[in-house]
Amino acid sequence: MERILAREMRLPSITVALLVLAGSCVLSGAPASAAPAVADFYDAPVVDLDSYAPGSIVRREPVPQLDILGSRTERILYRSTDPRDRAVAVSGLLVTPTGAWTGPGARPVIAFAPGSYGIADRCSGSSELGLTTTMPALLPLLAQGYQVVTTDYQGLGTPGEYEFLGRIASARALLDSARAAVGEADVPVVLYGYSAGGVASAAAAELAPAYAPDLSVVGAFVGAAPTDPVLRAEGQDGTDTAATMLYTIVGLIGAHPERAGEIRALFNERGLAALDAAQNFCTVDALTYGSLRSEDLTADGRSLSELMLGPVLGPLTAANAVGFTAPAASVMIVHGVHDRSVQIEQSRLLAERWRAAGVTEMTVREFDFGTDLVPAFDHPATNVAAYPELIGWIDRLLARRAAACSTACERRSE
């Protein structure tokens, strides 16, 4: 059954916005004290990593400075599997409420996929730099008593290559983070992702039945997700954030080192310099790099989006497009109508693809704030405004699962 809600909303939740904003202000001075106690937490090799099951926590440390809203925070390193089926260690955060769960059924796990802070190791969500953005976004979820686990993605902060918006890599990293939180318990899991994190959530929803059938994934929240790489390149080209369109190319080079020479040959001297610089970018670096037009960076003057449909990049790009496999779980898509960072066509195309693939339960929500005063406002604001409906949606999923589990238990006892 597909449910599409009204497509306009002009009154975002002030309460939730203030909660997130207040959390951001409180935590903005904390990162220095939240740095890893062990300098090689991310880099020290894990002995016999292959022997661990996907999702196994192989290293952990408490981060008491981030114990907020009655919860206990740990920085974790867990085992995942890269797109070539090799064992890799991925970092993240595990935030566990200390109080009793008062909702229906078992306490749920929210597997949280952060948005992009950049592609340099120092940009990871559990690092000193990333925490200022990651933790405030978790506050509305923690306030509900959910357990939350985050992923830094494969190769971001840890050894190995980070494939930006890589469909398989990001999906597996997110699903294995859920396994790390769940352990052996049978608890409901909700995938959560906004912006770049929305790609991970959407991809994980598609891959969950095959890659992680042991998880009880009941829903996936997909917010303002650039699930089509070509559309993303077109949308960023020539804008103030144009340097970020190179992240995808850097990621493809890292994920396919045997194709590095072939991919780099598509760019001229200026383009190669920009690619090399982008490898060390976090958000501010990309914004200060200046606007770029991709035609000025390529060897033959074609745009980056054209190259991403060509013989070299085309197959690699297509492999990272999301929307061609119907998720088994319920999905919720949200987007701001005037979003300049990720155009709303991305979510509309994703919904169209999932319908064609046969999705069974989908909620689509578009937010119209009715303003052109601050063009960049709609991207972060939609994430904040969606929380009230998101929480209600999660609660309905949990109640339905609890009722189903109760019925099954009664049948077994007869």
Side-chain angles (χ1 to χ4, degrees):
M1 176 183 180
E2 178 180 355
R3 294 180 296 130
I4 302 182
L5 304 183
R7 292 197 166 183
E8 291 197 359
M9 176 179 174
R10 299 180 181 271
L11 294 174
S13 171
I14 301 300
T15 301
V16 176
L18 289 175
L19 176 61
V20 174
L21 181 59
S24 179
C25 293
V26 169
L27 291 169
S28 61
S33 62
V38 180
D40 60 356
F41 180 88
Y42 296 97
D43 297 324
V46 177
V47 178
D48 295 329
L49 183 61
D50 282 305
S51 66
Y52 291 90
S56 298
I57 297 178
V58 298
R59 188 174 298 150
R60 65 203 308 162
E61 65 176 13
V63 191
Q65 299 88 345
L66 300 180
D67 290 349
I68 53 178
L69 296 180
S71 60
R72 183 180 70 257
T73 302
E74 299 174 280
R75 185 178 281 108
I76 62 173
L77 198 70
Y78 63 93
R79 196 263 206 202
S80 189
T81 307
D82 75 6
R84 300 186 182 192
D85 294 326
R86 300 172 299 190
V88 292
V90 182
S91 53
L93 294 173
L94 179 60
V95 190
T96 305
T98 55
W101 168 248
T102 58
R107 186 195 306 272
V109 166
I110 308 296
F112 184 94
S116 174
Y117 311 136
I119 59 175
D121 279 345
R122 71 182 190 281
C123 316
S124 66
S126 73
S127 69
E128 180 178 352
L129 181 61
L131 286 170
T132 58
T133 304
T134 302
M135 290 304 293
L138 304 186
L139 291 177
L141 302 170
L142 295 173
Q144 301 302 309
Y146 308 145
Q147 184 180 36
V148 179
V149 64
T150 75
T151 180
D152 289 339
Y153 304 114
Q154 298 180 7
L156 187 58
T158 48
E161 299 298 333
Y162 171 47
E163 187 180 3
F164 178 70
L165 300 183
R167 176 176 176 268
I168 295 177
S170 63
R172 290 181 173 182
L174 186 60
L175 291 169
D176 285 327
S177 75
R179 282 171 161 157
V182 167
E184 298 297 323
D186 179 20
V187 301
V189 172
V190 177
L191 309 172
Y192 177 107
Y194 193 83
S195 194
V199 176
S201 181
E206 293 186 347
L207 270 60
Y211 180 74
D214 50 299
L215 290 176
S216 298
V217 177
V218 298
F221 171 76
V222 181
T227 50
D228 187 284
V230 177
L231 284 182
R232 182 181 183 277
E234 289 178 348
Q236 298 298 316
D237 208 341
T239 70
D240 292 338
T241 59
T244 66
M245 67 183 174
L246 300 175
Y247 290 178
T248 299
I249 306 303
V250 173
L252 290 177
I253 291 173
H256 304 277
E258 74 284 357
R259 307 285 300 276
E262 193 178 1
I263 295 173
R264 289 178 65 87
L266 297 172
F267 296 86
N268 58 27
E269 185 175 344
R270 183 183 175 192
L272 291 173
L275 278 175
D276 292 340
Q279 294 182 53
N280 297 310
F281 280 179
C282 291
T283 301
V284 174
D285 305 304
L287 292 175
T288 57
Y289 194 76
S291 62
L292 298 170
R293 291 213 60 83
S294 62
E295 292 92 336
D296 299 329
L297 308 179
T298 61
D300 61 5
R302 284 186 293 167
S303 69
L304 183 58
S305 58
E306 290 179 283
L307 292 181
M308 292 172 75
L309 294 172
V312 176
L313 294 178
L316 306 181
T317 299
N320 284 326
V322 181
F324 298 102
T325 300
S330 176
V331 293
M332 181 178 187
I333 301 174
V334 305
H335 212 126
V337 173
H338 305 293
D339 193 329
R340 300 286 182 87
S341 296
V342 180
Q343 285 71 25
I344 196 170
E345 284 73 23
Q346 288 273 12
S347 285
R348 290 173 177 170
L349 179 59
L350 175 63
E352 180 181 319
R353 286 175 174 172
W354 272 346
R355 289 189 198 106
V359 67
T360 57
E361 187 172 6
M362 178 170 62
T363 299
V364 177
R365 192 73 171 83
E366 296 186 359
F367 289 78
D368 186 350
F369 299 103
T371 177
D372 292 321
L373 181 61
V374 184
F377 175 78
D378 279 22
H379 189 63
T382 300
N383 192 22
V384 175
Y387 272 117
E389 291 187 35
L390 168 64
I391 298 301
W393 177 74
I394 292 175
D395 286 345
R396 290 191 295 273
L397 294 179
L398 298 179
R400 185 170 66 187
R401 182 182 187 274
C405 289
S406 176
T407 300
C409 291
E410 289 176 1
R411 288 174 179 169
R412 284 196 297 268
S413 65
E414 292 176 353

